[in-house]
Amino acid sequence: MPEPMLVLAALLSSAAPQSIRVGLDQVPPGSKCVESAVLASFVGQPASAQLGAQLMAASRAPRLKWVSGTATNASRHDSKLLVVRLDAQNRVVSANCASTGEE
């Protein structure tokens, strides 16, 4: 393959959208949910399994619960649970550890 073709192929492959793969195995066993400013970066994103895995990895939470933004759930303190509130369009409104009583 001539050198200009290699450069073109490299440019095309770098311009392709890269999907982020996050596995549930990125949450260490025995870990607890940790709130950080990173969780705010997920606000406004549409809910999906991939996003859930990213939220779990960012918070180190072994469990995740999606709830309606209007839900009035009784507060349940659980240091391993991340509660993600969604709006009517299924977009993230907030993400908080259940241990903070934000559920």
Side-chain angles (χ1 to χ4, degrees):
M1 188 178 270
E3 191 173 317
M5 293 300 277
L6 288 174
V7 171
L8 179 61
L11 287 173
L12 290 175
S13 67
S14 66
Q18 303 294 319
S19 68
I20 300 171
R21 306 285 274 151
V22 178
L24 294 178
D25 59 341
Q26 288 185 293
V27 176
S31 65
K32 295 181 179 180
C33 185
V34 177
E35 285 201 38
S36 69
V38 174
L39 294 177
S41 67
F42 295 100
V43 172
Q45 294 188 34
S48 68
Q50 181 71 18
L51 182 68
Q54 290 173 352
L55 283 158
M56 291 173 74
S59 66
R60 300 177 57 103
R63 294 194 305 265
L64 177 129
K65 180 177 182 181
W66 303 99
V67 297
S68 154
T70 59
T72 56
N73 297 340
S75 182
R76 186 177 120 219
H77 297 288
D78 184 345
S79 63
K80 297 182 178 190
L81 178 67
L82 178 68
V83 178
V84 181
R85 291 194 176 276
L86 303 174
D87 64 12
Q89 288 76 41
N90 227 23
R91 293 187 178 274
V92 175
V93 173
S94 67
N96 301 95
C97 294
S99 60
T100 63
E102 292 292 322
E103 186 179 355

